């Protein structure tokens, strides 16, 4: 059974930093693209960042240059380092694993991500 668990969310002032972590078990972690998504109240879910099995990355334009995704395959952990946070980054952040093996982050969206965590709340105050 696949389990995905996020941690690291919280309340931070604008300009601050947070690091989200995601542990995934029950799957061959290093063969799956992993992604971070977010959803703010009243808004659609947004794909924030993705890292594939080779380490290639994708970032949404809204977070480029501020967020960094990384993975530790030995520990089955995915990270999202978030710097220069803005109030508009406030959302529930979700970690997810692509259901397929060996796929890249091209055409990154949530449709092929079949394993999801419960989410961790990030709130950025102005």
């Amino acid at each position: 059974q696949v389990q995905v668990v996020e941690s690291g969310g919280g309340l931070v002032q604008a300009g601050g930093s947070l690091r989200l972590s995601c542990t995934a078990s029950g799957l061959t972690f290093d063969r799956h693209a992993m992604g971070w998504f977010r959803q703010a109240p009243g808004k659609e879910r947004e794909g924030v960042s993705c890292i594939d099995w080779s380490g290639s990355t994708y970032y949404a334009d809204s977070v480029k240059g501020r967020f960094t995704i990384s993975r530790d395959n030995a520990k089955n952990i995915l990270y999202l380092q978030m710097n220069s946070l803005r109030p508009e980054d406030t959302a529930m952040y979700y970690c997810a694993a692509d259901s397929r093996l060996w796929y890249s982050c091209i055409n990154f969206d949530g449709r092929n991500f079949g394993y999801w965590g419960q989410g961790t709340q990030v709130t950025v105050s102005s």
Side-chain angles (χ1 to χ4, degrees):
Q1 182 180 357
V2 177
Q3 287 192 316
V4 178
V5 180
E6 306 95 336
S7 62
L11 173 64
V12 64
Q13 288 188 330
S17 298
L18 281 175
R19 187 175 80 157
L20 305 183
S21 299
C22 167
T23 58
S25 60
L27 75 169
T28 46
F29 182 80
D30 60 353
R31 301 179 186 182
H32 293 262
M34 298 292 297
W36 287 100
F37 299 80
R38 67 186 180 186
Q39 188 165 22
K43 294 190 176 181
E44 291 190 357
R45 185 182 65 195
E46 174 188 17
V48 175
S49 184
C50 175
I51 183 167
D52 72 14
W53 59 273
S54 72
S56 295
T57 58
Y58 161 89
Y59 295 95
D61 288 342
S62 57
V63 306
K64 265 181 198 171
R66 300 188 298 122
F67 290 12
T68 303
I69 192 170
S70 61
R71 63 192 299 164
D72 183 336
N73 289 333
K75 297 180 179 179
N76 284 20
I77 301 177
L78 177 73
Y79 299 102
L80 186 68
Q81 177 67 44
M82 305 186 294
N83 298 329
S84 302
L85 282 161
R86 305 166 179 168
E88 53 264 39
D89 294 317
T90 295
M92 186 70 79
Y93 282 71
Y94 298 92
C95 171
D98 193 324
S99 302
R100 308 163 298 176
L101 302 181
W102 308 118
Y103 272 75
S104 72
C105 296
I106 291 176
N107 299 321
F108 173 58
D109 63 32
R111 286 176 294 179
N112 294 308
F113 283 69
Y115 308 113
W116 292 79
Q118 302 272 24
T120 185
Q121 178 68 38
V122 172
T123 303
V124 184
S125 63
S126 57

